[in-house]
Amino acid sequence: MAGMLELVFSLSILMSMAFSSTAQSCKSYAFSSNKIFRACNDLPVLNSYLHWNYDSSSNKLQIAYRHAGITSSKWVAWAINPTSTSMAGSQALVAYQQNDGTMRAYTSPISSYQTSMQEGELSFDVSDLSATLANNELILFATISLSNTSTTVNQVWQDGPLSGNAPQIHLTSGSNVQSMGTLNLLSGESSSTGGSAKTTKRNIHGVLNAVSWGILMPIGVLIASCQSIAYIVGVAGWATGLKLGSESAGIQYDAHRTIGIFLFCLATLQVFALLLRPKADHKYRFYWNIYHHVVGYSVIILSITNIFKGFDILNPDEKWKNAYIGVIVALALNAVWLEGYTWYVVVKRKSSEAAVKMPRATNGSNGASGVGAPSCIFMEVRVRSDSFTGLS
């Protein structure tokens, strides 16, 4: 058991590292326009990257903000907030593709959280403002004349839906409320309210639950000992989820959270039900078996459903979802094969028992049952047959 737990946790750590390592890095990106930026930063949420050149003597900042996974039905924005790390007060650069296919890039001062991204002048000068959209990636270029001498700026980045050519309010949950922080233009160091630490916690939460509820629990249908390991690891994953929830005020994934709570309660009932399992020959064992199977399969169905909900939230590379689908399909095929084989064994055993009973009836009608030796054999076969049936 201890060795299996060590293997599970090692696998969890490796998968968590893989989630991070497969993410695209800004350092390997080459701009098609042959523009070169000396510094870049992988922003922690919204598939975003910032490239820049900073001239401390003139206090000019040349930026290229990249936002991947964007279609023509969305707008994107990158902003500097001169006063705080929040959205209100941000001086934004906004871009999107219009209905006629042309790109629009403009400046918009954000005065409140209910903004409609109206065009307006910023508190600092902006030049060379343009945008491109290709391969589902929008890139916003600009040169900014910073109004103060500080080399650390508060940055905000965002995306949201379009209605025609009009930007609409962005989501107020998840990554859309974590996309803000600070950036040191000289060192490249950055921090975020949604930061990399929280992203790591989310990955750990996802990996623990994917391994426990999503893989080990279904394997428990085939290997019973895996259920206990799945529950232990699953408790750790559930606890990390509660911790993340307490640290993310205003961010709600209602369906994922509700399924997780219900799943944990059912799994806990299933574990405690093992302590109350009647003996094989007890009159209530039949009903206990029905309860055990119904709750067990419900846990597995809810587990798999919630794993896919988690994929939608974490949004990892598609290959991770495909790999998980492959694991589930393989387990399902094995379960079907074993179920078919079990029924084959049961039917074959019943046929053998019926074949054993038929000669007894014939011998009894001829009076052979009174003979000592055959009678002893009959009793021995019956005892063995009853014992075998009782074990089932």
Side-chain angles (χ1 to χ4, degrees), residues 97 149 292 336 353:
Q97 187 179 69
T149 57
H292 182 67
V336 169
E353 291 177 351

Side-chain angles (χ1 to χ4, degrees), residues 1-16 204 207-208 211-212 216 229 232-237 240:
M1 176 74 75
M4 181 65 76
L5 284 174
E6 290 179 0
L7 177 62
V8 169
F9 280 110
S10 298
L11 178 62
S12 300
I13 293 172
L14 288 174
M15 288 181 67
S16 180
I204 291 174
V207 170
L208 286 175
V211 171
S212 57
L216 290 178
I229 300 173
I232 294 171
V233 180
V235 169
T240 59

Side-chain angles (χ1 to χ4, degrees), residues 228-269:
S228 300
I229 300 173
Y231 181 76
I232 294 171
V233 180
V235 169
W238 190 69
T240 59
L242 294 179
K243 180 65 174 175
L244 281 171
S246 66
E247 294 177 350
S248 308
I251 301 174
Q252 294 289 337
Y253 299 105
D254 293 331
H256 185 67
R257 179 175 179 270
T258 301
I259 293 174
I261 292 174
F262 192 54
L263 169 63
F264 180 76
C265 292
L266 283 180
T268 302
L269 285 175

Side-chain angles (χ1 to χ4, degrees), residues 213-331:
W213 303 111
I215 297 178
L216 290 178
M217 190 62 75
I219 291 177
V221 175
L222 310 177
I223 307 173
S225 62
C226 282
Q227 295 182 15
S228 300
I229 300 173
Y231 181 76
I232 294 171
V233 180
V235 169
W238 190 69
T240 59
L242 294 179
K243 180 65 174 175
L244 281 171
S246 66
E247 294 177 350
S248 308
I251 301 174
Q252 294 289 337
Y253 299 105
D254 293 331
H256 185 67
R257 179 175 179 270
T258 301
I259 293 174
I261 292 174
F262 192 54
L263 169 63
F264 180 76
C265 292
L266 283 180
T268 302
L269 285 175
Q270 186 80 323
V271 170
F272 281 103
L274 294 175
L275 304 176
L276 302 175
R277 180 173 58 183
K279 293 182 178 180
D281 56 353
H282 196 281
K283 63 180 181 179
Y284 291 128
R285 180 59 180 264
F286 173 75
Y287 303 103
W288 186 92
N289 284 340
I290 294 177
Y291 158 83
H292 182 67
H293 283 82
V294 169
V295 174
Y297 283 114
S298 297
V299 167
I300 291 173
I301 292 171
L302 288 174
S303 298
I304 295 173
T305 301
N306 222 24
I307 293 304
F308 282 104
K309 292 284 186 183
F311 276 127
D312 292 338
I313 294 170
L314 286 177
N315 194 28
D317 289 347
E318 192 68 21
K319 65 181 180 181
W320 292 108
K321 183 184 287 188
N322 293 337
Y324 180 69
I325 292 173
V327 170
I328 294 301
V329 169
L331 290 175

